[in-house]
Amino acid sequence: MHPFIARPEHGVIWITGASSGIGRALALKLAGEGYKVAVTARRHDKLLELQAEASEQPGSIIVLDGDVTSAEDMEHTVAAIEYQHGPLALAVLNAGIYLPARGEDLNHDVFDRSFAVNLHGVINCLVPAVRHMRARGHGQIAIVSSAAGYGGVPAGAAYGATKAALINMAESLNFELDRMGIHIQLVTPGFVDTALTGENKFSMPGLMSAEDAAKAIAAGLKSPGFEITFPKSFTYRAKLVNFLPYSLYFRVIRRIIDGRRPSQASGHHPNPHPAE
């Protein structure tokens, strides 16, 4: 059986974290291809700006306010899509934050906020989306993780942990969802030029614009493959590093980070990739 791939006639695409960065660029890209795109984020004004920008596109943008950290909000959002705008054909679960977590300054807040948005925020969307798709016997879901989930890096204890969890979750769910006719995909970008990575003061190999990242994701969504990863020249190397014994792994990562570390006076710390 061929995996289900959403087309404009199948219904609505839902993108979370669509007020900026990859989510915003992807919404514009898919609206330009004729899709009806529902967008969710906490910044209502930014969503309205996105809707206005897409007004001349073949498709359309539907603004649905909501906080992914609220399971009730996401239940209402999916219900609004299904009963007011059309069947949910594809969910791109993209909302995320990056907060540095450093060993010398560990605190609960960084971990709680990171897990609330990056992990539980995906689960809150996933549960109602799968329920409706299962009832129809088909659907498509893309979970946006990050190459930062492949292995640990300095200051990434919270962010990287959430992204690693998403990778494992998507891999595990693939077995059951495939039998239900739901095509699940994992998106693992490298460095993408967004507002947050713009603060980094170190070299970011393979840095891509949000628009190019959106093009890569849009192309991947039309494929039967499981992982959508880019730029491959960077993400494949990142995967290979994690096959090293830990003694070598830590040495390689330290060398990379030390060679790209911002000055201590700058106050900036490495940001692997903000998903939103």
Side-chain angles (χ1 to χ4, degrees):
M1 182 176 66
H2 295 291
F4 175 81
I5 296 175
R7 296 193 298 271
E9 62 268 25
H10 289 143
V12 180
I13 291 179
W14 177 32
I15 302 176
T16 65
S19 59
S20 63
I22 292 175
R24 188 181 196 282
L26 182 61
L28 287 172
K29 169 69 175 169
L30 294 175
E33 295 180 2
Y35 288 91
K36 183 187 293 185
V37 184
V39 293
T40 304
R42 289 172 295 181
R43 292 178 286 183
H44 181 72
D45 57 331
K46 295 296 184 181
L47 294 182
L48 291 180
E49 290 174 9
L50 171 62
Q51 185 180 52
E53 187 171 343
S55 61
E56 301 299 322
Q57 300 292 346
S60 60
I61 298 287
I62 302 163
V63 172
L64 297 171
D65 295 331
D67 184 349
V68 296
T69 65
S70 167
E72 184 179 9
D73 267 14
M74 294 303 97
E75 286 281 356
H76 291 161
T77 296
V78 174
I81 292 171
E82 288 279 340
Y83 302 122
Q84 298 176 28
H85 303 289
L88 176 59
L90 165 62
V92 181
L93 307 182
N94 165 75
I97 58 172
Y98 170 76
L99 299 172
R102 297 179 291 279
E104 65 270 22
D105 186 30
L106 288 179
N107 63 84
H108 290 283
D109 183 60
V110 166
F111 287 92
D112 290 345
R113 290 167 62 194
S114 297
F115 275 76
V117 177
N118 297 356
L119 182 56
H120 292 289
V122 169
I123 296 168
N124 291 340
C125 301
L126 193 62
V127 170
V130 167
R131 184 170 64 249
H132 285 275
M133 291 176 180
R134 183 182 185 185
R136 271 192 298 277
H138 61 78
Q140 186 176 2
I141 293 170
I143 293 177
V144 180
S145 178
S146 167
Y150 293 153
V153 297
Y159 180 81
T162 63
K163 295 303 184 178
L166 292 180
I167 291 172
N168 190 287
M169 186 193 325
E171 291 170 347
S172 300
L173 288 173
N174 180 66
F175 295 99
E176 291 83 22
L177 296 189
D178 182 64
R179 293 197 299 268
M180 293 157 51
I182 300 173
H183 179 33
I184 187 168
Q185 293 176 290
L186 173 69
V187 184
T188 49
F191 290 106
V192 177
D193 187 10
T194 66
L196 290 182
T197 53
E199 298 182 5
N200 287 341
K201 302 300 182 183
F202 57 93
S203 173
M204 292 178 281
L207 181 67
M208 298 178 67
S209 68
E211 290 72 24
D212 285 341
K215 290 176 184 177
I217 295 173
L221 293 173
K222 299 176 181 66
S223 76
F226 172 73
E227 186 176 27
I228 304 169
T229 186
F230 54 88
K232 292 183 174 64
S233 60
F234 172 76
T235 58
Y236 282 8
R237 288 202 302 271
K239 283 189 176 188
L240 287 173
V241 168
N242 285 277
F243 285 105
L244 295 174
Y246 276 121
S247 59
L248 287 177
Y249 173 81
F250 292 133
R251 193 181 309 166
V252 169
I253 296 299
R254 285 191 184 103
R255 183 174 298 175
I256 292 172
I257 295 300
D258 286 345
R260 300 192 176 110
R261 189 184 299 277
S263 66
Q264 295 300 313
S266 72
H268 293 294
H269 298 270
N271 175 7
H273 166 71
E276 185 174 342

